[in-house]
Amino acid sequence: MKTAIITGISGQDGPYLAKFLTEKGYKVIGTTRSYTNSNRKNLEYLGIENDVLIEELDLLDLANIAHMIKKYKPDEVYNLAAQSSVHMSFEQPIGTFYFNTQSVNNLIECIRLFSPHTKLYQASSSEMFGKVNHLPITLESPMNPVSPYGISKMAAHFMIKVYRESYNLYLCNGILFNHESFLRSQNFFIKKVIRNSILVKYGKLDKLLVGNLNIKRDFGYAPKYVEAMWKILQVEKPDDYIICSGKSIMLKDIVYYIFDKLNLDRSRIFVDEKLFRPNEIYDIYGDNTKAKEILKWDYNMSFYEVLDILLLEELNFMRNKNEI
């Protein structure tokens, strides 16, 4: 039985990855900063709360990480823990940069010292590339981040490469473009649009407030993207990969699609400039050729298919909870 540690287990990707790994026979340890604030609702939603061992871990405490690594000698570590909100990174730039870099530095140093056989997956981000002159984005594209979050992820990304090349460790970066699911937290665009549009439909809200809709993003489906995380650690040679759909879609088209599905009048969509970011990327999409060829990762979903899944899942959940 292989052992895997998933940091940031309570977010969106962690529970889907944990379910995927337990079904493959892994022993899965999920980490949380605090037992008292541990959020198990996403694990419970997927029915795997009893299949994952939860451990308390402070990724800013080197001794705490060392104890965890020596205790389990994990075959694989999936580092999903981060301050992951771009919007919040503008409000908390110092805290975002410190946590998103120092946590990674601590983790890979403990692997180097105490468990060099351990394979590590680092969750990198398309936000590292920022404003680019040429699309699609490849691993050779220059990085020009436009947010504190993007800068923090870029620093961690290069530290992974430095340790991999300097110490011959199995460390990989997975550069995942936007990927969505029912488990997405409500401060993220797709989740917020779907939930609030449903609330408009059922008379709980008068209108949908949105930010800048004239931008495009490369969106995918999170349960399929966590499969790629695992595949990245199964090939012989550690490397970095872009995981994306390979296409971008206008945010306006997403909102209109949801409204049309719910038979809502588009006049109830209101743009609030307070929701605009201080600095914006207007179009971004990646090239997933390497992942498809080397990892044999199969992904061909259109984002409209994903939206259909998410809308139905949200409607069923809100009805069961008597929210609508």
Side-chain angles (χ1 to χ4, degrees), residues 32-75:
T32 180
R33 289 192 214 184
S34 168
Y35 285 129
T36 55
N37 295 320
S38 178
N39 187 348
R40 292 173 174 257
K41 66 180 178 64
N42 286 347
L43 296 172
E44 292 168 358
Y45 181 79
L46 296 182
I48 58 169
E49 66 274 19
N50 296 321
D51 299 329
V52 178
L53 176 64
I54 301 296
E55 288 269 25
E56 198 170 62
L57 179 66
D58 181 356
L59 286 167
L60 298 180
D61 185 336
L62 195 64
N64 193 189
I65 300 172
H67 174 75
M68 182 78 66
I69 295 295
K70 287 191 284 187
K71 178 179 180 180
Y72 289 107
K73 297 284 185 181
D75 298 281

Side-chain angles (χ1 to χ4, degrees), residues 87-290:
H87 176 76
M88 189 179 294
S89 77
F90 282 102
E91 297 178 357
Q92 301 175 6
I94 297 172
T96 296
F97 185 83
Y98 181 68
F99 183 83
N100 288 357
T101 56
Q102 192 60 46
S103 59
V104 176
N105 295 347
N106 288 345
L107 194 52
I108 58 180
E109 179 67 359
C110 285
I111 287 174
R112 181 182 76 85
L113 292 173
F114 306 115
S115 187
H117 77 281
T118 295
K119 298 179 177 181
L120 179 128
Y121 169 89
Q122 165 63 14
S124 283
S125 168
S126 60
E127 290 285 334
M128 301 184 303
F129 294 98
K131 293 180 179 177
V132 295
N133 294 323
H134 301 286
L135 292 170
I137 285 172
T138 69
L139 289 166
E140 287 70 45
S141 297
M143 293 186 185
N144 182 29
V146 297
S147 68
Y149 170 75
I151 292 168
S152 71
K153 281 293 187 177
M154 181 180 69
H157 177 91
F158 282 112
M159 189 62 81
I160 291 291
K161 294 188 69 170
V162 167
Y163 263 64
R164 180 173 69 215
E165 294 166 4
S166 301
Y167 302 113
N168 196 31
L169 298 173
Y170 199 111
L171 311 176
C172 303
N173 288 299
I175 306 168
L176 270 62
F177 282 56
N178 296 67
H179 49 290
E180 308 300 320
S181 74
F182 173 81
L183 299 185
R184 193 55 122 168
S185 61
Q186 294 184 27
N187 60 317
F188 283 83
F189 177 78
I190 298 297
K191 179 78 166 186
K192 184 164 60 174
V193 166
I194 290 175
R195 276 190 62 84
N196 288 353
S197 297
I198 293 171
L199 292 174
V200 171
K201 169 75 174 179
Y202 287 88
K204 307 291 185 179
L205 284 177
D206 294 329
K207 57 190 176 183
L208 175 70
L209 287 178
V210 294
N212 188 353
L213 295 182
N214 294 314
I215 60 177
K216 302 175 77 173
R217 289 291 183 273
D218 184 330
F219 285 105
Y221 189 43
K224 286 291 292 182
Y225 279 36
V226 300
E227 293 180 20
M229 295 179 184
W230 176 76
K231 285 178 175 288
I232 285 171
L233 296 191
Q234 308 314 308
V235 294
E236 183 177 351
K237 182 183 177 183
D239 205 348
D240 305 326
Y241 295 88
I242 287 175
I243 306 301
C244 64
S245 75
K247 301 174 182 177
S248 62
I249 181 173
M250 184 81 73
L251 299 192
K252 184 183 294 182
D253 292 337
I254 292 171
V255 176
Y256 286 176
Y257 185 81
I258 295 297
F259 259 53
D260 290 350
K261 278 283 184 174
L262 293 171
N263 295 314
L264 288 168
D265 193 311
R266 294 178 183 179
S267 65
R268 301 177 76 178
I269 302 167
F270 287 82
V271 174
D272 183 356
E273 292 190 2
K274 295 177 184 175
L275 298 175
F276 284 32
R277 291 179 181 175
N279 203 350
E280 191 56 87
I281 304 166
Y282 284 91
D283 190 10
I284 189 171
Y285 60 95
D287 181 349
N288 59 18
T289 304
K290 181 178 177 182

